């Protein structure tokens, strides 16, 4: 969760410095972001552990989405649920300015967690006609907690930026169908089309860093079906 602080700063820089010649007190902004993060960290950590302990598979993320929707409404966002089946869109309008989209995923994986953590998942569900364990093994629980923390941090700085925040929680990322489900449900027709969009994926790299690359940044999963006759 600690890696989220530089991410908050990245979002803030886009909103707080929309013009090429805008003056920005980076040191003051950094201090404000870190103070907000430290203040909210206990609640964010508790939220992360709750989500981790109760994962849901693709397009089953009803309880997960409801938790995020509740958090965003409490922060002052206008929330629309069940976009793309189980996704949600949260908007916060703060005057004229750019629309910034921040995205997270909701779903977990059909596998058993064996970490032994006190908040480990022991949940089971039905998947492809059989019972299976469910676990957040891809970091989406961290993404969601960081997503909430980013929203709260930016709301706390709303006197220093203008524009619209568009926070999107996408279902079904692991099965490769959630983004299309949201687009087919009018994501950029019913809601604003963003001027810039951000997302993250946690990785095992040093604390306090944000990494990027041009082009594809991770692998793609696909399936091949072969039928033998004879």
């Amino acid at each position: 969760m600690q890696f989220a602080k530089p991410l908050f700063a990245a979002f803030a820089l886009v909103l707080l410095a929309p013009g090429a010649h805008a003056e920005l007190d980076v040191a003051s902004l950094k201090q404000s972001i870190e103070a907000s993060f430290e203040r909210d960290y206990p609640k964010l950590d508790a939220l992360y552990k709750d989500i981790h302990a109760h994962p849901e598979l693709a397009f089953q993320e009803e309880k997960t989405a409801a938790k995020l929707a509740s958090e965003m409404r409490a922060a002052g966002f206008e929330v629309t649920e069940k976009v793309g089946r189980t996704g949600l869109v949260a908007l916060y309008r703060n005057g004229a300015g750019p629309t910034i989209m921040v995205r997270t995923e909701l779903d977990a994986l059909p596998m058993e967690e064996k970490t032994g953590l006190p908040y480990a998942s022991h949940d089971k569900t039905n998947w492809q006609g059989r019972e299976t364990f469910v676990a957040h093994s891809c970091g989406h629980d961290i993404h969601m907690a960081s997503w909430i923390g980013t929203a709260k941090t930016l709301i706390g700085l709303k006197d220093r930026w203008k524009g619209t925040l568009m926070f999107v929680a996408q279902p079904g990322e692991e099965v490769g169908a959630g983004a299309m489900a949201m687009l087919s449900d009018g994501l950029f027709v019913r809601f604003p089309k963003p001027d810039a969009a951000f997302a993250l994926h946690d990785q095992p790299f040093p604390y306090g860093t944000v990494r990027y690359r041009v082009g594809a940044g991770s692998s793609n999963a696909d399936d091949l079906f072969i039928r033998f006759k004879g």
Side-chain angles (χ1 to χ4, degrees), residues 58-59 61 83-89 101 103-107 140 166 168-189:
F59 298 114
E61 317 98 321
V83 181
R85 294 171 60 179
T86 49
L88 64 89
V89 176
M101 188 177 99
R103 170 200 164 276
T104 187
E105 313 92 337
L106 293 166
D107 56 330
H140 296 180
M166 180 178 175
V168 175
Q170 175 198 317
E173 189 270 348
E174 296 291 359
V175 297
M180 184 57 69
M182 296 196 83
L183 290 171
S184 298
D185 201 12
L187 177 62
F188 297 136
V189 177

Side-chain angles (χ1 to χ4, degrees), residues 15-99:
L15 283 164
L16 275 62
H21 303 290
E23 294 184 4
L24 184 64
D25 186 342
V26 176
S28 175
L29 177 60
K30 180 177 183 291
Q31 186 177 28
S32 297
I33 292 173
E34 290 184 344
S36 174
F37 181 83
E38 295 300 334
R39 182 176 61 250
D40 289 337
Y41 187 83
K43 291 183 178 179
L44 295 174
D45 184 56
L47 176 65
Y48 155 70
K49 290 175 179 176
D50 181 31
I51 294 173
H52 183 92
H54 303 291
E56 295 174 297
L57 294 182
F59 298 114
Q60 297 181 17
E61 317 98 321
E62 294 181 358
K63 293 180 181 178
T64 303
K67 289 176 186 176
L68 298 191
S70 177
E71 292 282 344
M72 296 300 273
R73 287 193 177 101
F77 282 76
E78 174 190 337
V79 179
T80 303
E81 298 181 72
K82 301 187 184 303
V83 181
R85 294 171 60 179
T86 49
L88 64 89
V89 176
L91 297 175
Y92 190 94
R93 296 179 174 87
N94 189 32
T99 296

Side-chain angles (χ1 to χ4, degrees), residues 72-219:
M72 296 300 273
R73 287 193 177 101
F77 282 76
E78 174 190 337
V79 179
T80 303
E81 298 181 72
K82 301 187 184 303
V83 181
R85 294 171 60 179
T86 49
L88 64 89
V89 176
L91 297 175
Y92 190 94
R93 296 179 174 87
N94 189 32
T99 296
I100 306 300
M101 188 177 99
V102 184
R103 170 200 164 276
T104 187
E105 313 92 337
L106 293 166
D107 56 330
L109 290 162
M111 59 190 297
E112 183 178 1
E113 180 175 354
K114 299 181 179 181
T115 63
L117 292 168
Y119 53 91
S121 169
H122 302 288
D123 288 4
K124 294 181 180 180
T125 191
N126 184 275
W127 180 68
Q128 296 187 352
R130 62 179 178 85
E131 186 178 64
T132 180
F133 282 98
V134 188
H136 271 300
S137 302
C138 197
H140 296 180
D141 44 358
I142 296 176
H143 300 174
M144 285 182 268
S146 299
W147 187 80
I148 293 293
T150 300
K152 290 183 176 181
T153 298
L154 289 173
I155 296 303
L157 295 169
K158 66 180 181 180
D159 61 330
R160 301 175 65 178
W161 59 268
K162 296 294 181 182
T164 298
L165 300 179
M166 180 178 175
F167 275 61
V168 175
Q170 175 198 317
E173 189 270 348
E174 296 291 359
V175 297
M180 184 57 69
M182 296 196 83
L183 290 171
S184 298
D185 201 12
L187 177 62
F188 297 136
V189 177
R190 297 164 57 190
F191 307 98
K193 188 173 182 180
D195 297 291
F198 293 88
L200 67 83
H201 203 300
D202 61 303
Q203 296 282 354
F205 52 73
Y207 156 69
T209 64
V210 174
R211 295 186 177 186
Y212 76 96
R213 61 166 293 157
V214 177
S218 59
S219 61

